[in-house]
Amino acid sequence: MRILLLENIHPVAKETLEKKGFAVDLLAHSPAPSEMKELFKNYEIVGIRSKTKITKEILENSRHLKAIGCFCIGTNQVDLIAAKKNGTIVFNAPHSNTRSVAELVLAEMIALSRQLGDRNNLAHQGTWLKSAKGSNEIRGKVLGIVGYGHIGSQVSILAEAFGLNVIFYDITKKLSLGNARQVESLDELLKESDFVSLHVPETIETKNMISKKQLSLMKASSYLINASRGSVVFIDDLVDVLKNKKISGCAIDVFPIEPASNNEKFSSPLQGLNNVILTPHIGGSTEEAQHSIGIEVAESLSRYLQVGSSAGAVNFPNIDVPRNIKSKRIVNIHKNQPGVLGMINGIISSEGANIDGQFLGTDEEIGYLVIDVHLDHVTNLYHKIKELEPSILTHVIS
């Protein structure tokens, strides 16, 4: 079983997978689509970070791919529907970089409130700007968090320790942590907040959710922080309000268009503006977070390959059952249509095998089936199940 890890994924992922007996190659860059098509021919598993875009076209050209590991929180860089139809399971690391992103947000709040970015640059240029004008403590201010998930709630806890009053907006009702208070609308949050921090996924609903209308509701003394997704803020409108001093500054870690590697030049309309902190998508880029992500996703991949566990998958029904070492295990992904289980059980019966365990999970499109059978040789059984018309991908857990 050969695994390809791209984009300088932390070496602990390679070490973890190799200890499980897999052959792993590690590449530093994000390949172009044409390169991916050739590379993927030699691997059954691929690990990526946020830069590598695995499209429907690439998946259709790589129907042999068993799994994709996203060594990050987001999975929008993968066409999840196409992957599911391909029988390619996708895992991510939804929790491992939570603390790192939360700490960056708190650091940026202080940096914006004290104009540290500008004053640092001036000091490097030889200008001594010792003044309290426009410089404030964050204690007692209102932090508005948009999206109260793992990261948003962690920011909330840290912010209260700094003495901030926390409000949050989420499309679903959430349990407030500490003294945080959920508000009814995004507009209400924007009007009340001294700091607005965005922690939402990339969806159709969140695309350009912060644009001219929303920015006009913010206080002139307020700050915007985006460490979520680059598509959430309409940058041209943000530039306009900053130039016209309708808000006091911003910290942006994610952008609509980002360089594919550290060798490419970065350009943004936000460059050169006062009290604007720009960072190169480093919210989760700490040694601790990348180490944890490397282990988390590598463990998910190895459990899928060695046990058939789909626990934590973002595009498959989740099944996680202990391995019966006395049985042979077959994993089958098939179209969710009537009669498939009957077909498979008929084949098992015709092969003279005894079913020790059978576990099925379904969604509207696929069925994920784990079968433990008592049979010395499963080659014929495997091929017959694989060749069924509804079968998408079948493999034996050795």
Side-chain angles (χ1 to χ4, degrees):
M1 191 80 70
R2 297 191 67 196
I3 299 175
L4 175 65
L5 302 180
L6 303 171
E7 299 185 66
N8 258 341
I9 288 169
H10 197 285
V12 73
K14 186 175 190 290
E15 294 166 13
T16 301
L17 290 164
E18 286 178 338
K19 284 178 183 176
K20 304 286 186 180
F22 302 109
V24 183
D25 291 328
L26 189 63
L27 293 182
H29 68 289
S30 172
S34 58
E35 186 184 357
M36 265 189 272
K37 287 178 182 179
E38 290 304 311
L39 271 174
F40 289 3
K41 290 177 182 178
N42 303 311
Y43 300 93
E44 292 169 284
I45 318 294
V46 174
I48 63 173
R49 292 178 70 188
S50 57
K51 290 287 184 292
T52 302
K53 309 296 182 186
I54 299 187
T55 62
K56 179 180 179 181
E57 182 184 359
I58 289 168
L59 286 161
E60 287 176 349
N61 193 68
S62 310
R63 294 193 177 276
H64 62 289
L65 278 183
K66 288 186 171 68
I68 297 169
C70 296
F71 286 76
C72 49
I73 290 180
T75 55
N76 55 291
Q77 68 274 43
V78 180
D79 188 324
L80 296 178
I81 295 173
K84 181 194 290 188
K85 290 179 179 178
N86 204 47
T88 306
I89 196 167
V90 180
F91 294 101
N92 67 335
H95 312 302
S96 292
N97 71 358
T98 299
R99 179 70 183 203
S100 295
V101 177
E103 287 188 4
L104 179 67
V105 169
L106 266 293
E108 288 179 333
M109 288 170 61
I110 294 171
L112 289 169
S113 196
R114 300 293 296 274
Q115 302 174 357
L116 296 184
D118 290 353
R119 297 190 187 214
N120 171 69
N121 289 337
L122 289 170
H124 276 283
Q125 295 162 15
T127 300
W128 187 257
L129 183 60
K130 179 177 169 59
S131 170
K133 186 178 180 181
S135 183
N136 298 281
E137 294 181 354
I138 66 170
R139 179 178 55 171
K141 303 300 189 296
V142 177
L143 167 62
I145 298 172
V146 183
Y148 204 67
H150 298 295
I151 296 175
S153 57
Q154 181 77 193
V155 171
S156 174
I157 293 168
L158 294 179
E160 283 203 4
F162 274 78
L164 285 118
N165 301 307
V166 179
I167 60 175
F168 68 91
Y169 170 72
D170 199 288
I171 57 173
T172 60
K173 187 68 178 175
K174 294 290 181 74
L175 175 66
S176 302
L177 301 179
N179 296 310
R181 172 173 60 89
Q182 185 164 9
V183 296
E184 294 298 320
S185 68
L186 176 60
D187 287 2
E188 182 183 350
L189 179 139
L190 294 170
K191 291 174 183 176
E192 288 189 32
S193 301
D194 298 299
F195 297 91
V196 174
S197 189
L198 308 175
H199 301 284
V200 296
E202 183 176 67
T203 65
I204 294 172
E205 290 76 19
T206 64
K207 184 176 175 61
N208 292 332
M209 71 178 293
I210 303 296
S211 55
K212 185 177 182 178
K213 177 182 178 293
Q214 291 73 34
L215 291 165
S216 69
L217 298 175
M218 294 176 64
K219 301 176 184 178
S221 59
S222 67
Y223 305 92
L224 177 70
I225 300 170
N226 185 18
S228 60
R229 291 290 178 264
S231 62
V232 174
V233 178
F234 189 61
I235 297 297
D236 289 345
D237 287 351
L238 178 58
V239 169
D240 186 58
V241 298
L242 287 164
K243 286 182 175 178
N244 289 291
K245 302 189 184 305
K246 298 294 180 64
I247 65 172
S248 291
C250 70
I252 307 295
D253 186 52
V254 288
F255 303 87
I257 300 173
E258 297 181 358
S261 73
N262 290 343
N263 297 322
E264 286 190 19
K265 193 76 174 175
F266 167 65
S267 177
S268 170
L270 292 164
Q271 288 167 328
L273 299 180
N274 291 333
N275 211 17
V276 170
I277 298 172
L278 305 179
T279 49
H281 204 145
I282 56 169
S285 295
T286 63
E287 289 288 347
E288 293 87 352
Q290 293 306 309
H291 186 273
S292 296
I293 288 169
I295 293 174
E296 183 178 351
V297 181
E299 288 290 347
S300 294
L301 290 171
S302 62
R303 281 188 56 75
Y304 176 69
L305 298 171
Q306 294 183 323
V307 183
S309 170
S310 61
V314 296
N315 66 332
F316 271 35
N318 280 201
I319 289 182
D320 188 17
V321 289
R323 177 76 189 275
N324 184 344
I325 58 172
K326 295 180 181 179
S327 305
K328 300 290 174 62
R329 176 163 285 186
I330 297 175
V331 169
N332 171 257
I333 301 106
H334 57 263
K335 299 171 190 172
N336 186 7
Q337 60 189 53
V340 179
L341 199 56
M343 294 180 200
I344 291 172
N345 286 342
I347 293 170
I348 293 171
S349 177
S350 70
E351 287 294 312
N354 186 49
I355 298 175
D356 291 335
Q358 195 171 64
F359 313 92
L360 174 65
T362 63
D363 62 19
E364 66 281 0
E365 292 176 328
I366 67 165
Y368 182 68
L369 179 63
V370 177
I371 316 163
D372 289 336
V373 294
H374 217 80
L375 193 66
D376 290 335
H377 304 288
V378 295
T379 304
N380 287 339
L381 180 59
Y382 156 74
H383 281 293
K384 287 182 178 180
I385 293 174
K386 178 185 175 184
E387 289 162 9
L388 286 172
E389 190 279 328
S391 289
I392 299 170
L393 193 69
T394 306
H395 56 99
V396 177
I397 305 294
S398 57

